[in-house]
Amino acid sequence: SFVCSMAGRAAVSRTLAFLRASPVIKLRPDVEGMTVAYAKKGAGMAGARHFLYEVVPVIKFHNEQVRTQVEKSATSDTAEIRVHLKGGQSETIAAKGVCAGDIRQALVSKFSQPQ
């Protein structure tokens, strides 16, 4: 038989409340995807990791067309966010040694949809 836990429903409700309460990040229509690349360990990687877990869900919630990929490396010494645009172009935001809020601000300033 199926046993339903209340914790599961509460977690979904909390997540949905968090996504709805977060500032809207609406990206331009020409943004097709985003790749978050960072090393699993090492100095300067925390900002990219926090960006992945705190900001990317909000971006995906408000931009359903944007696909997201994650590249975790055991040997790389770089952290970056690659934004993929229509037509095969891409632009990179350096993320090594940068906090998640600053990465978010750089992404919004370059790729947000004009209001």
Side-chain angles (χ1 to χ4, degrees):
S1 80
F2 178 73
V3 177
C4 183
S5 169
M6 291 300 287
R9 288 187 211 158
V12 171
S13 296
R14 279 193 310 269
T15 301
L16 194 54
F18 168 77
L19 292 172
R20 288 183 175 151
S22 298
V24 175
I25 302 172
K26 192 71 176 157
L27 299 179
R28 298 186 323 227
D30 65 331
V31 175
E32 288 186 334
M34 181 171 44
T35 302
V36 180
Y38 64 96
K40 292 179 182 179
K41 295 182 179 180
M45 302 297 160
R49 255 192 333 269
H50 289 207
F51 177 82
L52 176 64
Y53 292 109
E54 296 170 5
V55 180
V56 169
V58 176
I59 292 171
K60 289 173 70 173
F61 183 72
H62 294 290
N63 303 274
E64 295 176 9
Q65 82 283 3
V66 175
R67 70 183 194 289
T68 307
Q69 297 177 319
V70 179
E71 294 178 1
K72 295 180 189 177
S73 171
T75 58
S76 176
D77 190 27
T78 61
E80 62 188 17
I81 313 302
R82 289 189 299 274
V83 178
H84 308 287
L85 306 171
K86 290 182 180 174
Q89 301 170 355
S90 66
E91 293 190 35
T92 303
I93 298 172
K96 184 172 182 178
V98 181
C99 73
D102 291 343
I103 298 170
R104 177 192 178 281
Q105 186 58 39
L107 182 78
V108 167
S109 68
K110 286 180 114 174
F111 301 104
S112 68
Q113 193 171 25
Q115 306 245 338

